[in-house]
Amino acid sequence: PGVAPETLTIPASTLYFFQANTFVKPTSFALMEIVSAAPIRVLEYAFTDRPFPSTPHADVLLPTPVTTAPPAIQLPISTGTVSWSWQIGTTPPAVASINVLGNLSFNVSVSPAGSSWLTVSPDRDTAPSTLSLVPNLAGVGPGAYQAAVTLMPAVPAGLAGLAAQPSIINAALTVSAGPLIEASDSNCCFFFEAGANMPSPFPGTLSISSNGTPAAFTVNLGPCAGGNWLTAAPLSGTTPATLTFTANPVGLNLPDGRYSCPIAIQGPTNTLSLAAALMVLGPPPPPPPPGSAVKTVPGYLNFLLSAGTSAPSPQSVTVQSNGNPVAASVSTQSGGNWLTASVAAEAPNSVVSASVNPAGLAPGNYQGSVTITSPGMGSAQVLVYLVVAGLPPPQTPLTATPANLSLTAPVGQSQSEVFYVAGPGGLPVEFTAAATTSDGGTWLTLESAMPAVTPGGIVVEAAANLAQGVYHGGILLTWGNGSLTVPVTFQVTPFLGSPPTMAAIVNSASGTPAAVAPGEIITIDGTALGTAPTGFTLDGYGNVATKLNGTEVLVNGTPAPLIYASAYQLNFIVPYETGSSGVAAIQAIWNGIQSASWGALLAASAPAIFTSAATGVGQGAVLNQDSSVNGPSNAAARGTVIQIFGTGAGQTTPASATGGVTGSRGGVFSQPVSVTIGGVSAVVQYAGPAPGEVAGVLQVNAVAPSGVVPGPEVPISLTIGQARSPDGVTIAVK
């Protein structure tokens, strides 16, 4: 946190070595995240510094191929989150001020529609500006309220090729009849390192308050993993107050690891469920003697076995001593002479092999070391950790903290949680964990390697590909003489962070904005319109489906057939039930969240010809008389019939069915059709829906006039009723 990200370009097929010091000091840990624009292969991941309480592992996410979003213009805002908590009858919360930077004009909208509890002013302005968000509390009852404030910039004329991307402010209001207690932080974290000059016990503080009148509270602790190492003062009182938590692990003889302790702060209306964490770290290895050049890889060894089993396989340490010979000796802190070491390979590539003998060892944690020396080069010490896992006494199961997991995330986002498993009295117990779901799905997974040993942490992740709703699952823990299930609930809430936003509505063939006609294929460009790119499917009636991956389009409230959906683009067919005059209200919906309405003028027809490059200009989507593709290298002969494909013809006779697929022969267009090629009128032989295509794709068969001047780029236009297709489309004529 607080460190600026670094960007690095790695050439293809290049091996790159990356060293990150994420272990800063005993009281500070850093989170490292590597984001790649393309899949990368991780060959090795290991700790090369001091030992860590858990087995090193890497969570590698290979990104899906990136679909480049259209360039966008967005207004910077001072914050994207505003929240209030208010007790009825007390002083209203303060107005929130949001600074809008830049120099563009913008419009403001609030969703979902009807969010009367929130007022935003002004509703339009030019940046730089300040927005005021005011919670309207009159008549608001107890509950939780959410809304999204969308700032949509206006694209200047000189930047017409760029899309406008909204800036989103998530607003939340919690209203209660009685006072709600609140904490300044959701976790209290304590760290202790054995042998260090840190005070013991050592404290941490937490401030609590209420959202209204002073509230009485009580504090309940535990049970804590590893024993009673946490105390709190005071254990009761009235808000506002400062709580002091004291961690004192002395005398508990805790092995290296992370231990958690639940904290419940009970108020008159609600309970705060927090947690304290204690990290116990063994002393770091002593520094090498001055002038030492001996280095070892790895710097420590971990052995894990179950009591009563045979010795595990030896583990090796590679020694770098500049080609000098090495010698190895061992020592143990407890348990007797269970560790041995020998030189398995001599210089220049020296290898030391370490073995453990668990005979006679009771279940527990043991530590030793291998000292490797080289004449004239000094020495290096390799710490050795041995965990002998036992079985808990009958009827004494392992414990999980927390005892159940409750995850919450908006639609389209994953959520993860860590819970800790401990054995009775700190006994190391080997166990396995498996994720189960009530619906048999695979939305619940584990990131931690199995098997594991207590005390240990398990990372649980709920997937991001679920629709809104509540899902139930569990984590099944099993060990030699028992099992335990940790219930998991995953609530997927509406996606309010970024509602669908429409930036442009154009004819899919020409790519230009214009009035829309019944049956016309339309393209919407915008943001948050859907998920992964998906083509159309047919429903049980053989019609084009009106919903793809949770995305819908409404035209005057009627669901429109969708033929393509992605996060940035939707292609749909204007329902034939839509009229041919007035204004049509178009809305995009993703996972139940509606965009603002877009008003589009209606027309009886809006013809446009598809092009080979899907740009609206250049070579048209035209077939020659033999159904071969027309082009400069395959021109149509004058006097032959060409087949022209487009959209926007309007109504047909007989009427086409919305979302239907045209048979071997469709009807004809209700309005007159004419074609010009090279400025010369062409004889039209057929004008109607394209056979075998979705209703909305038009086909016009016309004869290339004999009077046309031949060439590779002869202009072609299509007129239906009173509307003419945009210029710029060409065909090849010979």
Side-chain angles (χ1 to χ4, degrees):
V3 178
E6 297 182 14
T7 301
L8 175 70
T9 300
I10 303 177
S13 303
T14 300
L15 184 62
Y16 180 73
F17 296 90
F18 177 77
Q19 181 175 353
N21 183 22
T22 59
F23 187 94
V24 183
K25 56 184 179 179
T27 57
S28 176
F29 287 85
L31 176 65
M32 179 183 69
E33 181 181 34
I34 301 175
V35 180
S36 169
I40 58 175
R41 176 174 296 174
V42 177
L43 300 181
E44 182 181 12
Y45 177 84
F47 289 99
T48 57
D49 194 358
R50 52 167 297 141
F52 195 75
S54 61
T55 302
H57 70 282
D59 298 326
V60 181
L61 301 178
L62 297 181
T64 56
V66 176
T67 301
T68 302
I73 295 177
Q74 187 176 33
L75 288 167
I77 55 178
S78 57
T79 181
T81 303
V82 173
S83 62
W84 299 276
S85 182
W86 176 65
Q87 178 189 352
I88 295 175
T90 62
T91 303
V95 174
S97 297
I98 308 296
N99 294 324
V100 185
L101 307 180
N103 58 359
L104 300 177
S105 60
F106 61 92
N107 293 325
V108 180
S109 62
V110 179
S111 61
S115 300
S116 58
W117 66 270
L118 179 65
T119 297
V120 182
S121 62
D123 60 1
R124 62 187 63 201
D125 204 352
T126 299
S129 175
T130 300
L131 292 184
S132 295
L133 277 63
V134 183
N136 302 320
L137 305 176
V140 175
Y145 303 85
Q146 290 182 315
V149 179
T150 301
L151 282 66
M152 178 60 71
V155 179
L159 301 175
L162 301 182
Q165 182 170 329
S167 301
I168 306 296
I169 304 169
N170 290 315
L173 170 66
T174 300
V175 179
S176 62
L180 295 176
I181 55 173
E182 302 170 341
S184 59
D185 195 1
S186 60
N187 288 279
C188 310
C189 294
F190 305 96
F191 295 91
F192 175 77
E193 183 176 14
N197 294 322
M198 297 179 65
S200 182
F202 44 97
T205 60
L206 179 72
S207 297
I208 60 172
S209 58
S210 75
N211 68 339
T213 57
F217 66 87
T218 58
V219 180
N220 296 294
L221 304 178
C224 301
N228 297 324
W229 48 267
L230 184 67
T231 59
L235 291 175
S236 62
T238 302
T239 61
T242 298
L243 304 182
T244 299
F245 294 92
T246 303
N248 185 8
V250 175
L252 296 179
N253 194 27
L254 296 176
D256 288 8
R258 181 185 174 101
Y259 303 85
S260 68
C261 188
I263 302 170
I265 305 177
Q266 176 69 55
T269 308
N270 67 315
T271 299
L272 295 179
S273 296
L274 310 176
L278 172 69
M279 181 68 77
V280 178
L281 303 173
S292 171
V294 175
K295 296 182 180 180
T296 61
V297 179
Y300 68 98
L301 301 174
N302 277 327
F303 290 91
L304 169 63
L305 62 124
S306 297
T309 60
S310 58
S313 300
Q315 297 185 26
S316 297
V317 176
T318 300
V319 183
Q320 301 174 7
S321 59
N322 293 341
N324 294 319
V326 299
S329 61
V330 301
S331 64
T332 58
Q333 293 183 0
S334 61
N337 299 321
W338 51 267
L339 177 64
T340 59
S342 61
V343 179
E346 297 290 351
N349 298 313
S350 300
V351 175
V352 172
S353 177
S355 302
V356 298
N357 181 7
L361 293 180
N365 295 276
Y366 301 88
Q367 182 175 322
S369 62
V370 177
T371 301
I372 300 173
T373 59
S374 178
M377 301 299 295
S379 64
Q381 190 178 71
V382 178
L383 295 181
V384 180
Y385 294 89
L386 170 62
V387 177
V388 180
L391 293 177
Q395 310 304 319
T396 307
L398 303 185
T399 58
T401 305
N404 56 73
L405 299 177
S406 180
L407 310 178
T408 303
V411 167
Q413 293 187 19
S414 63
Q415 181 64 282
S416 61
E417 184 70 53
V418 181
F419 72 96
Y420 301 94
V421 184
L427 176 72
V429 178
E430 190 173 9
F431 68 94
T432 60
T436 62
T437 58
S438 59
D439 58 5
T442 58
W443 55 268
L444 188 64
T445 57
L446 304 179
E447 295 184 6
S448 303
M450 289 292 125
V453 63
T454 63
I458 303 295
V459 180
V460 179
E461 181 168 9
N465 58 349
L466 297 177
Q468 180 180 340
V470 179
Y471 300 83
H472 300 279
I475 307 301
L476 176 62
L477 308 176
T478 57
W479 58 95
N481 58 2
S483 63
L484 172 68
T485 297
V486 179
V488 179
T489 302
F490 183 34
Q491 182 176 7
V492 182
T493 60
F495 187 76
L496 294 179
S498 181
T501 301
M502 298 182 292
I505 293 182
V506 299
N507 182 291
S508 294
S510 66
T512 58
V516 301
E520 182 182 356
I521 301 177
I522 296 293
T523 295
I524 297 176
D525 294 320
T527 59
L529 300 174
T531 54
T534 306
F536 75 89
T537 60
L538 300 181
D539 60 20
Y541 298 97
N543 295 326
V544 178
T546 59
K547 191 172 185 178
L548 289 178
N549 282 354
T551 297
E552 300 175 87
V553 173
L554 301 181
V555 180
N556 285 341
T558 300
L562 272 173
I563 58 178
Y564 177 81
S566 71
Y568 302 104
Q569 179 179 321
L570 302 178
N571 290 355
F572 71 94
I573 305 171
V574 179
Y576 282 98
E577 296 81 2
T578 305
S580 57
S581 62
V583 177
I586 301 175
Q587 280 186 301
I589 303 174
W590 181 41
N591 284 314
I593 307 301
Q594 295 185 351
S595 71
S597 180
W598 183 295
L601 292 175
L602 288 170
S605 62
I609 301 172
F610 288 111
T611 58
S612 299
T615 59
V617 295
Q619 174 63 48
V622 173
L623 300 181
N624 295 329
Q625 184 166 299
D626 60 358
S627 293
S628 62
V629 177
N630 179 272
S633 62
N634 189 32
R638 288 173 289 182
T640 62
V641 177
I642 60 172
Q643 305 166 51
I644 307 164
F645 296 90
T647 189
Q651 298 289 355
T652 64
T653 304
S656 296
T658 296
V661 177
T662 306
S664 60
R665 191 75 171 179
V668 296
F669 298 139
S670 301
Q671 300 179 84
V673 178
S674 63
V675 174
T676 62
I677 301 175
V680 181
S681 296
V683 176
V684 175
Q685 293 187 341
Y686 168 78
E693 301 292 339
V694 297
V697 177
L698 66 83
Q699 178 177 335
V700 175
N701 295 350
V703 179
S706 58
V708 170
V709 177
E713 297 179 349
V714 178
I716 183 172
S717 68
L718 172 65
T719 300
I720 301 179
Q722 301 298 315
R724 181 175 177 271
S725 63
D727 295 335
V729 181
T730 63
I731 63 170
V733 179
K734 63 181 179 180

